[in-house]
Each structure stands twice: as structure tokens, then as C-alpha cells.
Amino acid sequence: MSRKTFRSIRRIAPVLLAAALTGVAGCAVPGTPMAGESDVRSLDIGAYPVDRHTYEQDSHGAGALLEGMRMSEAVATGPRIDHSLIVGQGSRVVADAAEAEAGFLAAGSDAVLSRHEFVVGYGAGSSDTLEPTDETPTATAVVDLVMRFPTDAAAKAAARDLEDVDFAFAPEQNQRLSLAEFPDAYIHWRPSVANIGAFWPYGEFIVSLFIQRPSADSADLLEWVRKTLTAQRDVLDAFRPTDSGKLPSLRVDPDNLLARVVTSQRGFRTPDPDSFGVYGPSRFVHSVLDSVLSERLLTDAGADRLAIVDSGWILRARDARGATALVSGIAGSIGTGFDVIDGPAGVPGAKCFTRNSEGDPTNAGFRCYVSYKRYAAFVDSDDETDVRRKAAAQYALLANSL
């Protein structure tokens, strides 16, 4: 077996890409308040645009990438696989064959994927510990990559060929295993090595697994393959892929959610998995340190969409009560690396924080959470004045957009 280890799977932080912004002068906000709401025209929003907005919907050839973002809901979260997988290790769209090989698969897999017309994929990691690596042999961790192909036949052939490439890296050591419940899954391991790999074709998809456990027990490893494939079958059965011929016509943001995320960069934008895209709520769960709590919060709130623009995001909940609960729950689980600070004046329920000496220095220095009607939002900045203005602008933008 020659899969990538957890150290090589790029972790995507739960707050996504941080941006350092500077404070700007305050100005008035357009809009008329509804009964019982703050008058957003009086908020200090700096120079952030908060009028109703719409981005171009044509993907300009990025339809497969948009489908990859939709596939966040085609990959099982850790808690759905096993209750012990409490830490999201990050997730990402896998845009092409080269990226699939570089991040997840054995050398030589690129050619296999290209030959069988790989469309797009989505990969995620989950574990029972913060940083599972070769140096943490007691960890349980799962890397789960779901790949889309144009036909069932292409996926079936590609799974066989991917298995051959992976197995061939140590043919004298690798041994094939099987599961009665998944007879068409290709599974192998190295005896005395506490991990296992699998390729399972399911319709036009392939599920590729790399699983690490504390001990080299083939029965135990097979059980983990079984429970992961079972969880994957459930989410794939619920997922509705876009017909291959309709990928070019996918709209960038059919619900106009991206235009409701505050940003200073409103010019022409193209789909980008890290800084301009719409996902299902599992994208959030895949990337947070307490995935069990996050999945419960999102499920209870009826969250169905996550929109990301630059370093900010919004979650769409079932209703206003759900959005308020999301802000309270997510902010309440922020941990010891942040201290509470005052939120922006005039923004009800805003929760703001500053990073302290225990906080991860890769995070922005300040962050705020706000909600408006059925939307929960996050903003960050390295400037305290700016983060309050940005939070106020986010609230005003939501108010003006609905």
C-alpha cells in the first residue's frame, strides 16, 4: 500500500482563509428597518458595501468544480462513521486527477483517473485525536475520498486499476482482503502495519479509503472499512448528482447566498473552493475540532447551505430560531484561545472575540458571529475596529438582502 498519510492531507481550518483588514471610516447604511429590528442605517459599517447584490451566475466552464462543492454532502462526516471520530481533519474539493494523486492516492493514479475520465471529487479526514500522524500510533483516523466518473462502467474499471497501482508498490507485502457485505470492494493491507486501504465502486462513484487504527488487526481494520462504506452508501444514496451533460449549465449561486456574505471585493468572481463557493453543511462539520457538537447544532438548526466568501461565511438555517442557536452554539464552543470583547453597537446578539496567547496564531486576531432571520454569519479581521464594522456590515447586508 502506498497511500498518502494524514500528515500529507492538507488541513483546512474551520474559519477558512483569514484576511488582514484595516479599519476604514464609518458611513451611513441604506435600507429601512422592519418592525422590531435595529435601524441598520445607523450602524458603523466602514466602507463595506451592504446594498442588495447579485454575482454573475455563469460558471464560465467551472461546472465540475461547482459539482465538487455539492459533493461535500456525498462524503460521510466522522460522527456518521463512528461516534469516536470527533475531530474534523479538514476537507476539500479535488478538482482534477493530479490533485487527487498529490493529496490522496498512490503515484501513478493520475494516469488511471485521466484514462477513465475522472470528473471531480471531494475528500475529507476525521479522527479521534487532534493531529493523527505516523507519530501518533494510538490514533484512529479515516481519510475518505469520493470520486465521480461519467458512467458506472468507468468507475468500476477505474477502481480496479487504482487498486492495481496501489497494490503494486509492495506486492510482496500487501495482502488482499474482502467483505461479504461489499463484495466488489478492493481492499488490501500489509500484515503488521496498522492501516488499510480500499476502493469501492458504487454507481458512477468510487469511494477511496485510507484508515489508521491503533493496532495491526485485520479483523478490526476490516470492520472499520465496513462501517465507513456503510456510512458512505447512506450518504451517496441521499445525494443527487448532476447529470454529466448538465454540469456546464450549473449556476454559481442559485439561491444568491454568496451575495449575502460581506466582502470588500465585490468585483467579478469565479468559483473557488476556498474563497467563493456554496456547500452543504457537512463542509462545516468536516473542518471543525468538535465535529460531533457541530453536526448536532447544524442538524437541530435545520442548516442546509454554507456560503464562503474570502474569510467570511454564512450558514442558512431552517428559521431565525435555528440561526440564533447556531451563533450561540458555535460561539459558545470557541475554546480557551479567545476572550470575549464587546460586539458592534446596534447589532443584536452579536458575539465577538479576540485571540489570546493560547490561541492559534494562524487565526485572525478578532472574530464576530451575528445572525439575522434564518442566517448565521462569521467575520474576522486582524483589526478590532474593523471586525466590529465588518460584523455590523454583515448584519446590514443580510437585512438589506431579505
Side-chain angles (χ1 to χ4, degrees), residues 68-116:
M69 296 180 198
R70 291 187 67 244
M71 283 177 61
S72 61
E73 296 307 301
V75 179
T77 59
R80 296 186 189 184
I81 297 169
D82 188 86
H83 68 275
S84 67
L85 299 177
I86 60 174
V87 181
Q89 292 292 338
S91 66
R92 73 177 193 252
V93 175
V94 180
D96 54 40
E99 185 176 351
E101 178 182 308
F104 296 88
L105 303 174
S109 300
D110 181 337
V112 171
L113 298 182
S114 298
R115 183 166 66 250
H116 294 292

Side-chain angles (χ1 to χ4, degrees), residues 44-61:
D44 179 5
I45 62 162
Y48 289 104
V50 296
D51 56 308
R52 186 190 295 264
H53 181 63
T54 302
Y55 290 106
E56 183 175 346
Q57 293 291 337
D58 190 336
S59 73
H60 295 279

Side-chain angles (χ1 to χ4, degrees), residues 339-343 350-354 366-368 384 387-388:
D339 297 325
V340 176
I341 59 174
D342 291 337
K351 299 184 184 300
C352 296
F353 302 86
T354 179
F366 303 91
R367 63 174 61 178
C368 291
E384 184 172 1
V387 80
R388 290 194 180 96

Side-chain angles (χ1 to χ4, degrees), residues 301-314:
D304 66 348
R305 293 289 186 278
L306 168 68
I308 298 166
V309 178
D310 301 325
S311 66
W313 51 255
I314 60 172

Side-chain angles (χ1 to χ4, degrees), residues 317-348:
R318 180 187 304 108
D319 51 29
R321 178 178 294 181
T324 300
L326 279 176
V327 166
S328 296
I330 295 170
S333 63
I334 198 169
T336 60
F338 287 86
D339 297 325
V340 176
I341 59 174
D342 291 337
V347 178

Side-chain angles (χ1 to χ4, degrees), residues 189-221:
W189 81 313
R190 296 187 196 182
S192 79
V193 179
N195 59 52
I196 194 168
F199 296 102
W200 178 53
Y202 190 60
E204 61 214 87
F205 297 99
I206 293 175
V207 178
S208 169
L209 301 180
F210 180 80
I211 298 174
Q212 171 186 322
R213 284 284 285 160
S215 62
D217 179 334
S218 62
D220 172 77
L221 288 164

